Amino acid sequence: MLLKATAILRWAAALLSLSEPFAAAHRSNFTYDRHNFLLDGAPIKLIGGQMDPQRIPPQYWTQRLQMAKAMGLNTIFSYIFWNNIEPTQGEWNFEGRNDIARFMRLAQQEGLYVVLRPGPYICGEREWGGFPAWLSQIPGMAVRQNNKPFLDASQKYLEQLGKHLVRTHISKGGPILMTQLENEYGSFGNDKVYLQAFADMLKANFDGFLYTNDGGGKSYLDGGTLHGILAQTDGDPRTGFAARDKYVTDPTMLGPQLDGEYYVTWIDDWSSNSAHQYTSGDATKTKKVLDDLDWILAGNNSFSIYMFHGGTNWGFENGGIWASNRLNAVTSSYDYGAPLDESGRPTELYRQIRDTISKHVPAGSIPAIPSLPNLTTINDFKLQPAVALFDTRDNKPTVQSTHPVTMEKLGQAYGFVLYEHKVANAVKGSIAPGDGPRDRVLVYVNGVKAGVIDKTYAKPATVNVDLKKGDVLQLFVENLGRIDFNQQLKEQQKGIVGNVTVGGKTVLEGWSAYSLPLTKLPSAITDKNTKAPEIKDGRTPVFYKGTFSLPKGTNNDLSGDTFLSLPNGIKGTVWVNGNHLGRYWVVGPQQSLYIPGAYLHGGNRPNDVVVLELEPKANTEMIGRGLATREWANHPDPNVV
């Protein structure tokens, strides 16, 4: 009886408080007036944080949500990634990491509300901002514009997502409060016809009201806002809130202030010169974060921390940012220096933000921080050469053509393409792959590396070749991630786009293209009859394989979490038990890959590791090890002299 009475008192306090809404068991009404968000007529502040379910193993969704609640959050803001849900046009996947409705229900069970950010464009340092690669092959396609092919494709996506989430809105007893229209559209354009078309689609498929989210400046707000839609800002709250008060004069756009993305730090990208971004442990940066959040809450306003928990860009899912004439390719880790780190463990910043929030909510309303096991250490294990990547390609080229075809023309979204040309007439000089490298191109002549043309540099290296008749020229192209933020995202084809020239004038004609998406691992890796390749410097990429077992006392749960280090690797990508973890690259700043214990086998059962090393070294033993404390570091690029 006492427990029941306590529960009733807590339920009543939650209704009255601005900080801890209960998990709705009935249909509710979420709306707003000029100064407050309102839940069933009572004011509520959204104390939120960004956490994207598709970046987190589903086995860990509940734990991550519990950690959000224990930091004092009451709302989760979530991007949805269209390219994961419809990887092939017309084929829908709402399973595993894409079971968004299940994530919403789990959030509700933990007493959390959700703000939906469905895109279709979400930025988020995702491949092409969440757009599926096949969009670029639709005739007449122009993204984020009043363009019929784009609107038609987007409508189908929103209809499918709407059906999937139909029972998760607050009006139907679910946790979703409101839905974002587009994403920082004022940083891209100002087409109000386009915005209205998307607003109509969202209203037709999702309950509740819409809001826009833009940077705190006049041009951003002029371009990204829409009559009748609540306007919000992101970034620095003082600048953003003041900008909205000054530049948004349409009363139908006005309401309570929300910092839709309060940045605790920034992203990481692959480069010898790009150090890991963090705030936790930095006194100056931490003070700024705590002062800002305290200021927002003291003013009776709302926020969403970007990111509360970043998670992981699994496999080839990372995007890139075009800046300073180079591709800033985002790391596989999306740790983001977030209060809850990539493995779901609280940082010092987490606890400090929790203390700040606690000053603005009823005493005792924030639950205790759940106890978590430490990460585990895996002793060194050997990785043996298994098969050369080029030996796993089909006997016949995917496409033969006069000039190279793009990755998309091969029906491929991610991974690699091998372009091969047999030299008919001797030629020498610098080689130019198409209209310029869009990613990273390894150049081989007769199977020996001649150099690397890498667009993560503003001025990629010049690779000179001296080709004789009968030589085989190979251009191996890696998609490092389509650009997710910048005007460049309008056209995002990968591979070689245009002609290949040598010496600035000779066009090479006659190409075979081999599609190597690596959506699944080649069977030759485990075929006992496959002959292991001899490792020589400057030769083509090689698959390595090995196994490890979890230490005694750990299991395939949080206790088995570890960070995989490949101390002798240069660049490549890794699978563990068939799960594609992502990329590694000696340049850093990421020097280890997160392995969730949920992806591992417990007991003495071995865990299979496959590593594709793009630049194998002779007389170098490939080993792996699991770290209980992850590594961040930068090293020189061995391809830069």
Side-chain angles (χ1 to χ4, degrees):
M1 194 70 178
L2 178 60
L3 288 174
K4 184 176 181 181
T6 302
I8 291 173
L9 288 172
R10 178 169 176 167
W11 175 81
L15 273 181
L16 294 173
S17 84
L18 300 178
S19 61
E20 191 188 19
F22 67 105
H26 64 279
R27 299 180 182 220
S28 296
N29 180 47
F30 183 71
T31 185
Y32 61 92
D33 60 21
R34 179 62 182 85
H35 299 290
N36 297 290
F37 290 110
L38 302 170
L39 179 64
D40 291 334
I44 176 174
K45 284 184 287 193
L46 304 187
I47 304 176
Q50 182 85 16
M51 183 162 58
D52 305 326
Q54 289 155 294
R55 283 186 164 116
I56 306 166
Q59 300 93 321
Y60 289 171
W61 282 350
T62 293
Q63 182 265 336
R64 302 303 200 257
L65 291 163
Q66 290 173 345
M67 296 302 292
K69 187 76 172 176
M71 199 179 79
L73 302 187
N74 62 21
T75 306
I76 300 298
F77 287 62
S78 291
Y79 280 143
I80 311 300
F81 309 144
W82 179 8
N83 54 353
N84 284 27
I85 289 172
E86 192 184 10
T88 301
Q89 188 174 10
E91 296 182 10
W92 305 94
N93 177 7
F94 285 103
E95 298 179 351
R97 289 190 286 126
N98 297 328
D99 191 351
I100 311 302
R102 178 172 176 266
F103 178 82
M104 302 302 177
R105 290 191 293 271
L106 291 174
Q108 184 176 21
Q109 288 175 16
E110 299 304 325
L112 293 161
Y113 289 108
V114 177
V115 170
L116 185 64
R117 311 180 78 191
Y121 169 75
I122 54 88
C123 188
E125 291 71 63
R126 296 296 288 184
E127 238 263 351
W128 204 8
F131 291 146
W134 50 260
L135 278 182
S136 67
Q137 298 307 292
I138 296 177
M141 175 61 62
V143 301
R144 303 186 79 188
Q145 300 174 51
N146 186 34
N147 168 268
K148 189 175 187 304
F150 180 62
L151 294 176
D152 288 348
S154 299
Q155 181 168 346
K156 292 175 183 177
Y157 157 65
L158 292 174
E159 288 174 349
Q160 291 292 327
L161 183 61
K163 292 175 184 176
H164 178 67
L165 297 177
V166 67
R167 297 180 180 177
T168 60
H169 298 277
I170 193 77
S171 62
K172 293 181 170 60
I176 297 178
L177 300 175
M178 59 184 182
T179 302
Q180 182 176 296
L181 168 61
E182 242 277 353
N183 188 71
E184 297 180 322
Y185 185 67
S187 299
F188 180 87
N190 58 6
D191 186 342
K192 303 301 182 182
V193 175
Y194 162 75
L195 282 179
Q196 187 61 60
F198 258 102
D200 293 343
M201 286 185 206
L202 291 170
K203 289 176 181 177
N205 291 287
F206 305 97
D207 285 353
F209 64 86
L210 307 179
Y211 76 102
T212 57
N213 185 70
D214 287 284
K218 186 177 188 304
S219 64
Y220 302 136
L221 290 164
D222 286 348
T225 55
L226 184 67
H227 177 76
I229 306 299
L230 178 63
Q232 303 291 5
T233 55
D234 60 22
D236 182 88
R238 292 168 173 84
T239 301
F241 291 179
R244 201 199 69 168
D245 284 344
K246 180 177 181 179
Y247 300 122
V248 178
T249 57
D250 181 341
T252 70
M253 301 179 189
L254 295 174
Q257 293 273 20
L258 163 69
D259 191 329
E261 291 184 6
Y262 178 77
Y263 306 112
V264 292
T265 184
W266 204 238
I267 59 168
D268 290 326
D269 70 283
W270 294 111
S271 172
S272 294
N273 299 318
S274 296
H276 172 53
Q277 302 288 320
Y278 66 94
T279 293
S280 189
D282 184 307
T284 301
K285 292 180 180 178
T286 297
K287 184 178 186 303
K288 175 71 165 61
V289 168
L290 301 181
D291 286 350
D292 284 347
L293 297 181
D294 185 60
W295 180 84
I296 292 171
L297 293 173
N300 198 38
N301 298 309
S302 299
F303 64 78
S304 173
I305 294 170
Y306 194 97
M307 299 288 294
F308 159 70
H309 172 60
T312 308
N313 292 317
W314 305 105
F316 299 129
E317 294 177 3
N318 68 280
I321 295 175
W322 186 260
S324 302
N325 197 38
R326 62 177 287 261
L327 173 63
N328 294 257
V330 178
T331 56
S332 293
S333 171
Y334 201 62
D335 181 271
Y336 212 95
L340 194 70
D341 74 14
E342 187 179 0
S343 74
R345 270 74 178 177
T347 64
E348 180 183 354
L349 180 63
Y350 174 101
R351 293 179 172 85
Q352 291 168 315
I353 291 175
R354 184 177 189 269
D355 290 342
T356 297
I357 293 173
S358 69
K359 295 189 300 183
H360 298 274
V361 301
S365 63
I366 300 177
I369 301 173
S371 61
L372 294 170
N374 294 327
L375 283 90
T376 194
T377 298
I378 307 294
N379 293 331
D380 286 7
F381 58 94
K382 292 183 179 180
L383 294 158
Q384 303 289 351
V387 63
L389 172 63
F390 295 177
D391 289 345
T392 69
R393 59 182 166 167
D394 292 336
N395 292 328
K396 292 183 178 180
T398 310
V399 169
Q400 288 182 300
S401 56
T402 302
H403 303 287
V405 297
T406 65
M407 180 177 281
E408 292 76 11
K409 288 290 186 184
L410 296 171
Q412 180 180 343
Y414 317 115
F416 308 87
V417 177
L418 174 64
Y419 298 92
E420 194 169 273
H421 168 79
K422 189 168 184 179
V423 178
N425 299 294
V427 62
K428 63 181 179 179
S430 62
I431 190 161
D435 62 5
R438 299 193 167 204
D439 295 276
R440 194 166 185 267
V441 185
L442 279 77
V443 181
Y444 301 94
V445 178
N446 298 327
V448 179
K449 188 173 73 175
V452 181
I453 307 173
D454 187 346
K455 197 51 188 171
T456 64
Y457 294 93
K459 294 183 179 179
T462 298
V463 176
N464 293 300
V465 293
D466 186 356
L467 302 175
K468 306 294 191 296
K469 183 178 180 179
D471 283 350
V472 175
L473 172 68
Q474 293 173 314
L475 304 179
F476 180 62
V477 182
E478 176 183 7
N479 173 5
L480 287 173
R482 291 177 178 82
I483 294 167
D484 71 276
F485 180 79
N486 195 289
Q487 294 288 343
Q488 297 281 338
L489 66 82
K490 291 180 179 178
E491 188 275 290
Q492 278 294 285
Q493 296 184 93
K494 288 295 190 178
I496 294 178
V497 184
N499 296 329
V500 176
T501 61
V502 176
K505 57 183 179 180
T506 302
V507 176
L508 300 184
E509 297 184 343
W511 289 89
S512 296
Y514 296 87
S515 178
L516 298 166
L518 299 186
T519 50
K520 61 180 181 179
L521 289 170
S523 59
I525 293 173
T526 56
D527 188 339
K528 295 181 180 179
N529 295 319
T530 300
K531 183 179 179 181
E534 181 183 358
I535 305 301
K536 296 181 179 180
D537 288 338
R539 297 305 170 94
T540 60
V542 169
F543 283 106
Y544 291 76
K545 64 180 181 179
T547 63
F548 70 87
S549 296
L550 282 173
K552 186 177 181 180
T554 60
N555 212 325
N556 57 334
D557 53 26
L558 288 163
S559 68
D561 286 5
T562 190
F563 283 95
L564 177 65
S565 172
L566 300 165
N568 295 328
I570 300 297
K571 189 179 193 307
T573 188
V574 180
W575 293 258
V576 174
N577 294 332
N579 296 290
H580 194 177
L581 301 184
R583 311 174 202 260
Y584 65 92
W585 196 351
V586 67
V587 298
Q590 180 178 351
Q591 296 294 338
S592 52
L593 288 143
Y594 175 47
I595 307 180
Y599 287 178
L600 300 178
H601 304 309
N604 294 321
R605 186 178 172 188
N607 294 281
D608 297 320
V609 180
V610 174
V611 173
L612 173 61
E613 171 58 58
L614 301 182
E615 301 180 45
K617 297 183 295 182
N619 304 316
T620 301
E621 184 179 53
M622 281 289 283
I623 61 171
R625 64 174 65 122
L627 306 176
T629 302
R630 77 171 310 159
E631 294 178 338
W632 300 102
N634 294 94
H635 302 297
D637 186 341
N639 289 293
V640 175
V641 179

